[in-house]
Amino acid sequence: MAKRAYSPKEVMSKSYKTLPWSERWSGPFGFPTVNEKWFISGASAGGKSSFVMQLSKELTNYGMVLYCSYEEGVSQSFKNRMEMFRMNEVQGKFRVITEDTFEDLMSRLAKPKSAHFVIVDSFQVAEWTYDQVKKITQRFPAKSFIFVSQEYKGQPMGKAAMRLKYLCGVKVRVLGYKAFCQGRFTEDPGSYYPVWEEGIIRTSNTLG
């Protein structure tokens, strides 16, 4: 049976719920839909982990956030980052898991009142395949999945990560404590989210 084809009128009549966040976030990232897929990459020690934690806290304003900390677990560095960004302020809307398998996570997300935003950090350590990404995002189309990727020579590490980047509507690269959006929603590709102002100054001085 042939799949449905949409007319221009049908497409343009559709409406989407977007993140109603402030200019601090909408400036660099626009207004993504609440169920958009994100891809966040960046070199080590460039502010990527701090950005992801800040994004996590912001997203708790719009729903429950589940942080799959596969790479760091609940190490001291992860704890310190939570303290730095005062994640205790969002105690009721933020949870961390470290050991769920893909099947465990599928079962967890199928439960009533499960998290709306799911952060997978990192995609490489989770060892998901591209097909597993398609499976979980299609199984839960109303949820937002945010994938954090390691890099190698300035590119997402591994072929699956490269494919995943193109699947996601919001693409963010963190470099020198600045988070740049490379996705579909921003109207100003030169703008960025300042992850750490002092770090930006130090990096600029070093480059200069």
Side-chain angles (χ1 to χ4, degrees), residues 130 166 176 179 208:
Y130 181 78
Y166 288 100

Side-chain angles (χ1 to χ4, degrees), residues 99-115:
E99 298 180 350
D100 275 30
T101 65
F102 180 80
E103 290 73 22
D104 291 338
L105 184 59
M106 288 279 284
S107 297
R108 184 187 294 273
L109 296 179
K111 295 178 180 179
K113 299 182 180 180
S114 60

